[in-house]
Amino acid sequence: MDNDIILLGHGSGGKLSHQLLDELIIPHLSQNPSAGQNDAALVEVGTGRLAFTTDSYVVDPIFFPGGNIGDLAVNGTVNDLAMMGATPLFISVALILEEGFGKQELSSILASMRQAADLAGVSLVTGDTKVVPRGKADRIFINTSGIGVVDHGLTIDGGQARLGDRVIVSGSIGDHGVAVLCGREGLEMETDVRTDSAPLNGLVQELLSLGGGLHVLRDPTRGGVATTLKEIAVQSGVTITLKEDALPVNAGVKGVCSILGLDPLYIANEGKLLAFVAPELAEEAVRLMRDHAFGKDAAIIGEVTATGGGRVQMETLVGGMRGVEMLSGEQLPRIC
Amino acid sequence: MDNDIILLGHGSGGKLSHQLLDELIIPHLSQNPSAGQNDAALVEVGTGRLAFTTDSYVVDPIFFPGGNIGDLAVNGTVNDLAMMGATPLFISVALILEEGFGKQELSSILASMRQAADLAGVSLVTGDTKVVPRGKADRIFINTSGIGVVDHGLTIDGGQARLGDRVIVSGSIGDHGVAVLCGREGLEMETDVRTDSAPLNGLVQELLSLGGGLHVLRDPTRGGVATTLKEIAVQSGVTITLKEDALPVNAGVKGVCSILGLDPLYIANEGKLLAFVAPELAEEAVRLMRDHAFGKDAAIIGEVTATGGGRVQMETLVGGMRGVEMLSGEQLPRIC
């Protein structure tokens, strides 16, 4: 019976999301069976390459430590474009509002969107507003879609990971998911964890100077670093080995995760990226990131240790090796 | 108090929607105070002009006579691009699903989207799926955003209406809104009214052969023909005079409207366009439309009778003249 209906886990970004995509959405919608594997589509228009992406935001609560649904929606779409090596230019804003939603809250969400757009250097150029009766939506849902230009000849996507590549994360993991969780009513936790929501297009611009040695960029949002790396391992047909002791995790995130039994490796980030870089350029990549405001805690966290496999494994703190799978089910619903 | 919260009417496409846009959304989001007046944004990318648009669909019911939320979402975005004189190319699909939604219903909605995309000649290239807990959304909401190319030098938008222009509608009005209304539970009406939902890009392609004599294209969706014409009158700074006896209205639509006290002039269409054409080209424009599958009942319904005013008026059947205002409040919520 559960096979016939949509479950919360179908929106997790993890295993069930991939099943829904592979079984239902892609076969129906797409002429291209490998569609849906990257953060944005690359399309040819005239003589140029564009990146095109869309995301809806249903985060709960809509205001959380360090941000709100508005800046999250702008940064998320900026980042999806940036992860294709594109320069984000134009963003659309579509609001679904519940009847009775406060104009003051809307106003401050819109102000945050504009501020985020200005910070990222993108323009909010078109939009739409729908209103549904009370009880038919939860306050506000925002869709942002975006267009970016790809003005270089590099191919950067989840299928480009190669043997020997170093896996670099641009900073601490799990901050966004834990911040949203701590913002939920009824969960009174004394932490200083704030969302890491940030535009990563500037950081990507720096990394593009690595040229052909930059193979994969991906932001580990829903499903966290574990799910994102598993996607890349499958897409590129490689085995990735992580070192647990290299993972940057803030003390506040560690604390909340240990109390609640959560694994930071599966928690959403909104201002971090994973880069796969040829080994000889890895130190340079880390240096470029650390010189940037949004990459100060960048670290090499693993490498591609074999071709084939489509697997992720991790050397644990105690010296063992364990397999890392995609998020299954839904750890934290409505995290973005 | 009501001034501080979002009302259903803010999603009507009529007067309250415009107030919300002008007072809150545009001032916050846009650097361009005239933004939000057209169906899509025109943006410069590299050496070319692109049109970019977004729309969320929250129609209730999701299946209605002649269509469903899926083909509606594709056609609506195709049409918003076409109304800027653009050739629609790429569409994104973002789903917000309520936990418990049936996979079979989802499947048939997705199949309709693909069918509509194939008919319009566009590709569904990128997407997103979010799931919210039961009771936090109403089954399914769909956002489609779209990119089109403008490969001609014409300027076609709501600000181009000129004195003497003939106003042409591509066919009968009110079909979509009445079909959705008749599809609602509890309203058992014996009619054969079906949605007119259709892709209008082919029809627009024909009209582009009129060259510089084609001034405005707009599809009269939420708020209907009345609201759309009022928008154009304001945007172009002209007075538009309609002839009531020239308005094509199907018998079924007339019947439902007279029973329920609705005015077809304010009811949403999803497969019709309004064209403003120089007088010497008007007959040719009607002929082009009537030769096309989606313009068989095209008719000249009025003209631009004065510069200035920003007004719409109508010569009624009984020979009087009445003012036509934007939809105020919400006549039929969740019509698209």
Side-chain angles (χ1 to χ4, degrees), chain A residues 73-124:
Chain A
V74 172
N75 288 335
T77 288
V78 163
N79 292 347
D80 280 346
L81 294 170
M83 294 310 126
M84 302 302 286
T87 304
L89 294 178
F90 305 109
I91 306 276
S92 64
V93 177
L95 308 172
I96 298 176
L97 303 176
E98 184 186 10
E99 184 190 8
F101 186 63
K103 279 192 189 169
Q104 195 147 14
E105 281 174 292
L106 178 58
S107 186
S108 84
I109 289 166
L110 295 174
S112 299
M113 296 190 83
R114 173 64 187 276
Q115 211 172 357
D118 288 347
L119 181 62
V122 298
S123 300
L124 307 172

Side-chain angles (χ1 to χ4, degrees), chain A residues 201-279:
Chain A
N201 50 332
L203 185 57
V204 168
Q205 208 54 47
E206 297 293 323
L207 294 175
L208 288 174
S209 69
L210 299 170
L214 177 64
H215 298 151
V216 181
L217 290 171
R218 189 73 67 90
D219 56 336
T221 56
R222 280 185 294 175
V225 167
T227 302
T228 303
L229 288 178
K230 176 74 180 180
E231 286 170 2
I232 295 167
V234 170
Q235 214 176 325
S236 294
V238 298
T239 296
I240 298 166
T241 305
L242 290 181
K243 285 178 189 294
E244 187 169 15
D245 63 7
L247 291 173
V249 188
N250 284 331
V253 170
K254 265 189 193 147
V256 172
C257 284
S258 73
I259 292 169
L260 298 178
L262 298 171
D263 183 344
L265 214 51
Y266 288 91
I267 295 184
N269 310 275
E270 291 288 346
K272 298 293 154 39
L273 62 79
L274 293 164
F276 283 59
V277 176

Side-chain angles (χ1 to χ4, degrees), chain A residues 11-329:
Chain A
S12 66
K15 202 178 281 182
L16 282 172
S17 293
H18 282 80
Q19 280 175 9
L20 185 69
L21 258 185
D22 292 343
E23 287 168 15
L24 207 60
I25 297 180
I26 299 295
H28 273 305
L29 295 189
S30 180
Q31 282 133 327
N32 171 10
S34 74
Q37 297 192 332
N38 290 308
D39 287 329
L42 284 185
V43 296
E44 297 281 336
V45 176
T47 54
R49 279 201 300 171
L50 294 182
F52 182 32
T53 191
T54 190
D55 258 313
S56 295
Y57 293 82
V58 298
V59 64
D60 173 40
I62 54 179
F63 294 90
F64 43 80
N68 65 52
I69 189 172
D71 43 61
L72 185 67
V74 172
N75 288 335
T77 288
V78 163
N79 292 347
D80 280 346
L81 294 170
M83 294 310 126
M84 302 302 286
T87 304
L89 294 178
F90 305 109
I91 306 276
S92 64
V93 177
L95 308 172
I96 298 176
L97 303 176
E98 184 186 10
E99 184 190 8
F101 186 63
K103 279 192 189 169
Q104 195 147 14
E105 281 174 292
L106 178 58
S107 186
S108 84
I109 289 166
L110 295 174
S112 299
M113 296 190 83
R114 173 64 187 276
Q115 211 172 357
D118 288 347
L119 181 62
V122 298
S123 300
L124 307 172
V125 292
T126 190
D128 176 54
T129 305
K130 294 292 191 308
V131 182
V132 297
R134 273 175 210 274
K136 299 298 184 186
D138 194 6
R139 290 162 292 165
I140 180 171
F141 300 147
I142 302 179
N143 178 281
T144 47
S145 300
I147 299 177
V149 286
V150 182
D151 52 8
H152 54 74
L154 305 174
T155 300
I156 298 168
D157 71 45
Q160 304 300 314
R162 297 176 206 171
L163 184 63
D165 274 358
R166 298 303 191 262
V167 181
I168 307 171
V169 68
S170 62
S172 63
I173 67 173
D175 299 76
H176 174 71
V178 168
V180 170
L181 191 64
C182 292
R184 291 206 176 139
E185 277 178 58
L187 196 76
E188 304 294 329
M189 291 236 227
E190 290 283 330
T191 73
D192 56 357
V193 181
R194 294 161 61 86
T195 178
D196 59 347
S197 176
L200 298 174
N201 50 332
L203 185 57
V204 168
Q205 208 54 47
E206 297 293 323
L207 294 175
L208 288 174
S209 69
L210 299 170
L214 177 64
H215 298 151
V216 181
L217 290 171
R218 189 73 67 90
D219 56 336
T221 56
R222 280 185 294 175
V225 167
T227 302
T228 303
L229 288 178
K230 176 74 180 180
E231 286 170 2
I232 295 167
V234 170
Q235 214 176 325
S236 294
V238 298
T239 296
I240 298 166
T241 305
L242 290 181
K243 285 178 189 294
E244 187 169 15
D245 63 7
L247 291 173
V249 188
N250 284 331
V253 170
K254 265 189 193 147
V256 172
C257 284
S258 73
I259 292 169
L260 298 178
L262 298 171
D263 183 344
L265 214 51
Y266 288 91
I267 295 184
N269 310 275
E270 291 288 346
K272 298 293 154 39
L273 62 79
L274 293 164
F276 283 59
V277 176
E280 65 277 13
L281 292 170
E283 287 302 333
E284 167 72 357
V286 170
R287 195 189 58 71
L288 285 171
M289 289 194 203
R290 288 187 179 163
D291 281 350
H292 194 280
F294 298 134
K296 292 206 179 307
D297 298 317
I300 297 175
I301 60 170
E303 62 183 273
V304 177
T305 47
T307 55
R311 290 189 307 117
V312 182
Q313 57 190 11
M314 184 162 73
E315 287 179 36
T316 63
L317 293 175
V318 295
M321 188 76 85
R322 71 164 169 96
V324 175
E325 295 304 324
M326 278 191 192
L327 178 63
S328 72

